[in-house]
Amino acid sequence: MRATLALLVLVATAPPALAQSEDRLRAFFEGKTVRVKLEMPGTEDGVDVYPGTAHPIDFPKHATRLKRAGTALRRGDEVLVTKVKVKNDLIEFQLGGGGYGTFGDDDSPNVFVPSASKTEREKNLEKDLEKTTDPTQRRKMREELDALRRDRQREDARNQAEAAQAEQTKEANIRQRRAEGGSRFNLRYKPVVPADALTPDGVMRALAEYVDFSPIVGERAPEPALRAESRSDLRKGLTVDEVDALLGRPDAISQRMEGTLKVSTSNYRTRDRAITAEFVEGVLIRFTITSP
């Protein structure tokens, strides 16, 4: 009975607590400028982050979203925090509009064009043809009916051609809107967002590897507990060219396919360490560092 009562109290008090935390986060972040440290897709799906886990970002999924939706924000871009929203197991950190595809955004390039309708003359001819027995008259009616049907088919073809052109234009407009619509980070927790994450410091710690908050705090945001290999400039989300610029040309490169994704592995060697880097569609998703 006591456990049930405690649960009811928790459920009853949770929404106000979340609302207060959301108000605090909104007051601190919204309208402020931050600098992103990785490419972000132009979609409301954004980038999923699972703080405190071994792999906070699923980089193969991230690469797929970049490929499908295009890049709205690039590493080094300064962007406005436009909205922070708190849910039971999620904190949405929206940048530059939160990504294209939110309520009211048309993200389908399809243009519906109905088939050309039969004219009244065509309908009447079809009815009269069933009742007419005279061969000469039936031949004339068939010829006229065939001509009307060809006219309708030509009209359908014109409409389909215009629809295809309209779809190309619409698709180009959607790509442009995706590029201009911003993106977002989705901080996901299980089973619920912990209390220490519902503070500005908690959000900055969770995103420190992916967002530079120095425009807000005036200095570099606190860094999370990082593995040793993450303490250098090498980090997930870099492109092949950016990694090559840091480490030099790789000693060896191998490639393979995982489903529809192209995965490549590059082996680098510096004076004091050997590095194996794995890329999906040209984006660094994981790496290991060993002593030679």
Side-chain angles (χ1 to χ4, degrees):
M1 184 66 180
R2 291 181 179 178
T4 302
L5 181 60
L7 179 61
L8 290 174
V9 171
L10 178 62
V11 171
T13 57
L18 288 179
Q20 293 172 4
S21 298
E22 181 178 291
D23 290 342
R24 181 183 178 188
L25 294 176
R26 293 185 63 184
F28 185 87
F29 288 111
E30 289 183 4
K32 308 292 179 55
T33 298
V34 297
R35 187 179 297 110
V36 296
K37 298 181 181 180
L38 80 170
E39 280 67 23
M40 300 184 66
T43 169
E44 64 170 339
D45 293 336
V47 180
D48 292 329
V49 181
Y50 297 85
T53 63
H55 303 288
I57 291 181
D58 182 341
F59 276 97
K61 179 190 285 187
H62 180 62
T64 299
R65 289 180 180 176
L66 287 171
K67 187 174 181 180
R68 185 184 70 243
T71 302
L73 300 174
R74 299 189 178 278
R75 188 168 67 93
D77 283 351
E78 293 192 356
V79 61
L80 196 70
V81 180
T82 51
K83 189 172 185 178
V84 179
K85 188 171 182 63
V86 176
K87 301 179 182 179
N88 285 336
D89 59 350
L90 168 68
I91 300 175
E92 294 180 3
F93 195 78
Q94 301 186 20
L95 302 172
Y100 189 77
T102 54
F103 181 76
D105 289 338
D106 181 5
D107 60 356
S108 172
N110 297 329
V111 176
F112 174 72
V113 178
S115 299
S117 302
K118 294 181 180 180
T119 63
E120 288 299 318
R121 177 59 178 166
E122 187 177 352
K123 294 177 183 178
N124 291 335
L125 280 172
E126 288 176 340
K127 294 177 182 178
D128 293 342
L129 186 61
E130 295 177 356
K131 298 180 290 185
T132 302
T133 58
D134 181 72
T136 302
Q137 188 64 24
R138 286 178 62 84
R139 186 181 70 253
K140 290 181 179 179
M141 294 172 66
R142 283 199 187 95
E143 289 175 351
E144 183 179 357
L145 188 59
D146 288 342
L148 291 172
R149 287 170 176 169
R150 287 193 296 271
D151 289 342
R152 182 157 51 86
Q153 290 169 354
R154 282 193 291 270
E155 183 179 353
D156 272 337
R158 285 194 298 271
N159 290 341
Q160 292 299 326
E162 291 175 359
Q165 185 174 4
E167 286 184 351
Q168 290 180 355
T169 301
K170 188 177 180 182
E171 188 173 4
N173 289 336
I174 290 175
R175 285 198 302 270
Q176 182 64 28
R177 290 173 185 173
R178 286 189 186 280
E180 298 171 350
S183 191
R184 69 178 67 184
F185 287 99
N186 302 305
L187 295 174
R188 299 188 179 276
Y189 298 87
K190 293 182 180 180
V192 295
V193 179
D196 61 352
L198 291 169
T199 65
D201 284 344
V203 171
M204 288 192 289
R205 280 195 299 271
L207 291 175
E209 206 171 340
Y210 319 110
V211 179
D212 179 4
F213 290 97
S214 60
I216 293 180
V217 300
E219 57 187 14
R220 297 198 68 82
E223 293 291 335
L226 299 178
R227 296 183 301 274
E229 67 266 24
S230 299
R231 298 181 187 277
S232 67
D233 290 335
L234 186 63
R235 59 186 175 276
K236 298 172 185 177
L238 296 180
T239 65
V240 172
D241 290 341
E242 289 169 335
V243 175
D244 287 352
L246 285 173
L247 304 177
R249 295 183 60 83
D251 292 343
I253 300 175
S254 61
Q255 294 184 342
R256 68 182 189 276
M257 296 297 296
E258 289 190 3
T260 59
L261 297 176
K262 183 172 69 174
V263 181
S264 64
T265 302
S266 297
N267 296 313
Y268 301 87
R269 184 174 296 275
T270 65
R271 183 179 62 181
D272 58 350
R273 57 184 179 172
I275 302 171
T276 300
E278 193 167 288
F279 302 86
V280 171
E281 300 295 340
V283 177
L284 181 63
I285 64 166
R286 65 178 66 93
F287 57 90
T288 58
I289 300 177
T290 58
S291 300

